[in-house]
Amino acid sequence: MSPTAGPVTDLLVRTAPAGTGTGPAVGAGLSVDDLHASLNDPALTSMTLLNEITGRFPEAVSFAAGRPYEGDYAPEALHRYLDRYTRHLHEDRGFTPEQVARALFQYGDTKGVIADLVARQLAVDEGLAVDPTSVVVTTGCQEAMVLLLRALRRDPRDVVFAAAPTYVGFTGAARLVEMPVRQVREGRGGLDPGELAAEVRRARAEGLNPRACYVVPDFANPGGATMSTADRERLLRLAEREGLLLIEDNPYSMFHDGGRRPPTLKALDRSASVVYVGSFSKTAFPGARIGYLVADQPVWEGGLLADQLAKIKSMLTLNTSSVAQAVIGGMLLEHGHSLERASASSAEVYRRNRRAVLDGLARRFPDPAAGVRWNDPTGGLFVVVTVPFEADDSALEVSAGRFGVLWTPMHHFYAGNGGQRQLRLSVSVLTPEEIDVGLDRLKRFVADRSG
Amino acid sequence: MSPTAGPVTDLLVRTAPAGTGTGPAVGAGLSVDDLHASLNDPALTSMTLLNEITGRFPEAVSFAAGRPYEGDYAPEALHRYLDRYTRHLHEDRGFTPEQVARALFQYGDTKGVIADLVARQLAVDEGLAVDPTSVVVTTGCQEAMVLLLRALRRDPRDVVFAAAPTYVGFTGAARLVEMPVRQVREGRGGLDPGELAAEVRRARAEGLNPRACYVVPDFANPGGATMSTADRERLLRLAEREGLLLIEDNPYSMFHDGGRRPPTLKALDRSASVVYVGSFSKTAFPGARIGYLVADQPVWEGGLLADQLAKIKSMLTLNTSSVAQAVIGGMLLEHGHSLERASASSAEVYRRNRRAVLDGLARRFPDPAAGVRWNDPTGGLFVVVTVPFEADDSALEVSAGRFGVLWTPMHHFYAGNGGQRQLRLSVSVLTPEEIDVGLDRLKRFVADRSG
């Protein structure tokens, strides 16, 4: 597809200092070593390289892009949502015109101004009874994770667990607060509570202090697994016994195959063990940068955990953009507080594409003995394929340059070993025709590597 | 004014655990001591108490509120700004309708999408030549400070300096990354470079690593001082010699008395010593939560400092809300990239109110021997009054409850001793009539305390 594929070693040549012509730099000049260690983290470097490869092959079919379906994006909707939210403040909440203007333009409540609408959505879509005072609206769910980890990381003994493979946004947030992430291998059924129990014991034996475990129980990114209700119950009992918080991240639950979904961890939680983290990036749109967390844990002499996290937020971003909250609020109001309804057409696209990828793989790799296997997620945006060779960055480079197809090496989602022979296919932004072309190319690439 | 003034000790009764009815808490229950030390910081606690006092006296005349003038806020402007920005993408930048939709709705560049418009504004209003690639658009300038401090705090020896009294947002950001803030006493002319040099020497002698100094050279909050051009030059020479970054925060420069302003530190900077931090909260509106930083320092093997800070941002909030950026972009376009023009009516209100407060103080406290003095800021939102008694939280409580007037005890802006007999009057949201009533009450309160 692209004739510009350079040698792999190009990727290792890092950018030379970009002189600004303003004279010598601070002191003897800054280097990355003068800055926080998160900037030198191998995971960050590898993600940067990955983006670089992807960016160099704009004409390749990309199974790498995880951004949401964008066919429904229409600027006029922003105006409609703003008007809908403004009318809500006026008609439903009795705001005067001055109060409406203040709500949109002034500094707002640190915990957010649409917490009540978020709580209604969780009731409608997830059957969750959430007190709006336990909600903090955040600048995307990324900030929600930072708030939580900043609160939990008091001293060098504090550690957090996460199902591996792990969403890179979570490991990034942990790096910022210098919190070690101990990975727990995920099976077909997602996070294994028995494995987590063993890891917690191991950490305690090392003198560490297990604080929390991050888990995406529904259609995890990137693994795709969904936890059974029985495993959710086991996980909750473990969390209660060990005094662990469970950080339940749920960006994909609306994108299911239509069957019955297990209840969220939060819905099953009887011991206030779960902090629920949500995002509107996939169900509404990422440009709003609106996420939230639900933290109803009582804190001795400190209200709810949500109140403590709001204090941290007041030092991080003060409050979440009122304009962006108004847009998301209007969208929720327009759809009767249901994201299931609001995101129905995206969900349909993802279902169609997931099916096209799974069927397309089955047609192209009919012989299991050839060593190409894939999982069968019942929802979400991703399919994981196992291949009989190293699916690393240099393989990706060849795949993109010589075969015109991009994907994500799974090893990026593991802290140590893992995923070396796996690749992630994202189904979110392609058409069925592109999927067909892309899978044909993937087949040729796999044949080339396996031969 | 308010009949509900309780005893001062009420303020010390902290909230009891707010049981959620969901059963026992995580482990043996969370307490604030289980969370990050920033949540136990005396400064945070005192600001919380301060907000609590303010909130209890809604009918008092408030010289405490620092929020901007809100007379110009009109929801229809949001629609106009969005349309103006959308037209700009289409007409000036040749975006197709799909590209416009993607720019507003999708994930965006970590460094922001209106960096070019920000650079134009800095050229128009401040005579600054800024390369848009050195700009990172942030979730308010609060996030900009966190990004910088996170980057600079590598290990426990790294410290930052700040002119005292210090804006509490900066000390809050520093607490999140556990970076000690060493205060440097501010004189009538603002930060004294000689004092800073002495503090830097002292820190080095203690084995510490001075990284940066935070300074608001124009109409500082809360001190109100403006640095002379000569002092700015001295400060820049010191920074270059010592390898210190200067974090120049400039939220108020548009709100001057009309005389000539000294150039910004960044305009005088020949050694890439200055990281410039800006905010649209006062010049446009806070609800957007749009700020930015300019970091053109070359980093060996790492592009510009802006590129490194963008990597940290990718772990903190991914990118700044595109919708909020579009609104601010539209406002800049509507006013020919000039915040001076965009905020002209707010600036006039602040000028008028500052004059009303200064004249009103002179009429009510004509005798210097009485020990009531005040500064004479040539811009900004604040006036600092020195009184012959302790202006602490309990004095504020009496002032609010018995005399119906609120202000901010200056000691909140000092890490240790300082400001005990000073109070800050904010002029931003009152009318001249309210200022008159408020100063009458302040006079009675001062007479009561001094008598």
Side-chain angles (χ1 to χ4, degrees), chain A residues 312-343:
Chain A
I312 292 182
K313 181 167 171 67
S314 75
M315 299 183 263
L316 194 63
T317 57
L318 297 191
N319 60 263
T320 301
S321 169
S322 315
V323 176
Q325 287 187 79
V327 167
I328 295 299
M331 186 216 61
L332 286 171
L333 288 160
E334 185 169 304
H335 294 91
H337 305 90
S338 171
L339 286 178
E340 182 105 40
R341 248 170 279 167
S343 63

Side-chain angles (χ1 to χ4, degrees), chain A residues 17 22 105 107 142 270 287 300, chain B residues 17 22 105 270 282 287 300 315:
Chain A
T22 50
F105 286 80
Y107 291 105
Q142 188 65 31
R270 296 286 168 273
W300 174 245
Chain B
T22 51
F105 286 80
R270 297 287 167 273
K282 306 299 188 293
W300 175 244
M315 299 183 263

Side-chain angles (χ1 to χ4, degrees), chain A residues 359-408:
Chain A
D359 291 351
L361 286 168
R363 275 197 306 278
R364 286 169 184 87
F365 302 102
D367 179 10
V372 179
R373 302 189 316 275
W374 52 92
N375 64 348
D376 185 21
T378 54
L381 274 55
F382 309 104
V383 173
V384 175
V385 181
T386 304
V387 291
F389 54 84
E390 293 272 298
D392 56 11
D393 295 352
S394 70
L396 171 62
E397 173 90 12
V398 172
S399 176
R402 283 185 43 213
F403 297 91
V405 60
L406 285 159
W407 36 267
T408 307

Side-chain angles (χ1 to χ4, degrees), chain A residues 21 48 175 186-187 189 196 286 330 352 375 389 397 412 415 429 440 446:
Chain A
T48 306
R175 280 198 299 277
E186 187 173 271
L196 176 60
R352 181 200 67 191
N375 64 348
F389 54 84
E397 173 90 12
H412 288 286
V429 285
D440 282 345
V446 169

Side-chain angles (χ1 to χ4, degrees), chain A residues 54 62-68 381-382 406-408 424 426-429:
Chain A
T54 304
S62 178
F63 290 105
R67 66 179 191 277
L381 274 55
F382 309 104
L406 285 159
W407 36 267
T408 307
R424 188 192 74 174
S426 169
V427 307
S428 52
V429 285

